[in-house]
Amino acid sequence: VETSVRILEDDVVFDAGTGSVLNSAGDVEMDAIIMDGRSLRAGSVACVQNIAHPVSLARQVMEKTDHTMIVGEGANLFAKELGIPQVPPDQLVTDIARQQWEEYHKYKRAVNELFDSQLGHDTVGAVAVDSEGNVACATSTGGITAKRVGRVGDSPVIGCGAYADNETGAVSCTGHGEAIMSVTLARTVTFNMEQGSSAQSAADKSIVYMKNRVDGTGGV
Ligand code: ASP
C-alpha cells in the first residue's frame, strides 16, 4: 500500500504529494496514514510540508516511534532526522492547484461550496490483502482547497480516513473530511463488516449513513 500510494502521490492528477491543493495561505499542507491490520498499529502525519511522500513518513512513524501521529513542524523534524530530503515548496504545486486557489481568492467563495464544485475527491488510498489474510491500508491527501492553516482532515485520523483489521478488512476513504470524522467512516465500514455485511454492502451502508446523519459525501 505504501508503494501504491507513493506512485499516486507523484501523479499530478491527484490531491496528494505533488498536486496537493493549497491552504488559505497558498501553501501545501499534507496528511497521510498507513495501518497494519495484523497488529492494529498505525502511523500518520498531518500538516506536513515540503516532502514528496508523506505516506512513507507515516510508515516511519509506525515503525520507528512509539507514537501514532506526528504533526506539522514535528513531522518535518522527524523527516529530517531520518534523512528524508526536503523538496522546495513550489515543487509540489501544480498549475491546477494554483488556479483553484486563485479562484477562491477572487470570488471569496465558501470553502464548502468550492469543495463541492471540484471534480471528484482526489485524495489517494490503497488497500491490500496478502496470501495469509493480512490486510493493510494507506491514505494520503493535500486536504481541501483554501482550508485554514493547520486544518487536519479525516485522512490521517485512525478510524476516519483509514482503518485496517485482519479480523474484518481494510478501508481507505475520501470525501468531506469534517463529515467523515463525524461518523468515523472507515471504522463504520469495518463495523458493518463485523455485523456480517460484505465489503461492498458495508461501504454502501456507511456512505448512506454519513449522508443521512451529517449530509456528507465521499467514497471508500
Ligand atoms: N478527505 C480529504 C480531506 O478532507 C479530502 C478528500 O478526500 O478529497 O482532507
Side-chain angles (χ1 to χ4, degrees), residues 146-219:
K147 64 185 182 180
R148 276 181 181 274
V149 174
R151 176 264 191 188
V152 176
D154 60 297
S155 308
V157 181
I158 192 168
C160 296
Y163 201 70
D165 181 355
N166 273 12
E167 293 187 9
T168 42
V171 187
S172 172
C173 302
T174 181
H176 192 251
E178 283 67 18
I180 292 174
M181 283 193 277
S182 289
V183 300
T184 59
L185 186 61
R187 184 65 184 96
T188 297
V189 174
T190 60
F191 170 76
N192 278 311
M193 291 171 77
E194 280 160 21
Q195 303 300 306
S197 294
S198 66
Q200 183 63 54
S201 151
D204 293 343
K205 278 183 194 160
S206 305
I207 292 292
V208 168
Y209 178 75
M210 181 165 74
K211 179 73 187 157
N212 291 342
R213 285 298 276 124
V214 295
D215 199 26
T217 53

Side-chain angles (χ1 to χ4, degrees), residues 15 21 31 115 118 120-124 139-144 147 151-156 161 173-181 218-219:
D15 172 20
V21 299
D31 303 334
F115 184 73
Q118 288 173 8
H121 302 150
D122 293 329
T123 288
V124 304
T139 302
S140 181
T141 190
I144 54 177
K147 64 185 182 180
R151 176 264 191 188
V152 176
D154 60 297
S155 308
C173 302
T174 181
H176 192 251
E178 283 67 18
I180 292 174
M181 283 193 277

Side-chain angles (χ1 to χ4, degrees), residues 31-89:
D31 303 334
I33 188 169
I34 193 162
M35 185 163 180
D36 180 346
R38 188 170 34 188
S39 59
L40 300 184
R41 271 288 287 154
S44 73
V45 292
C47 284
V48 70
Q49 296 187 298
N50 306 341
I51 63 162
H53 300 110
V55 71
S56 294
L57 188 57
R59 183 172 183 173
Q60 298 296 313
V61 171
M62 178 175 75
E63 291 182 349
K64 302 225 166 85
T65 78
D66 296 327
H67 309 310
T68 299
M69 182 189 274
I70 302 180
V71 308
E73 207 185 319
N76 276 97
L77 211 62
F78 180 52
K80 203 171 162 195
E81 259 174 56
L82 294 167
I84 294 175
Q86 296 240 338
V87 299

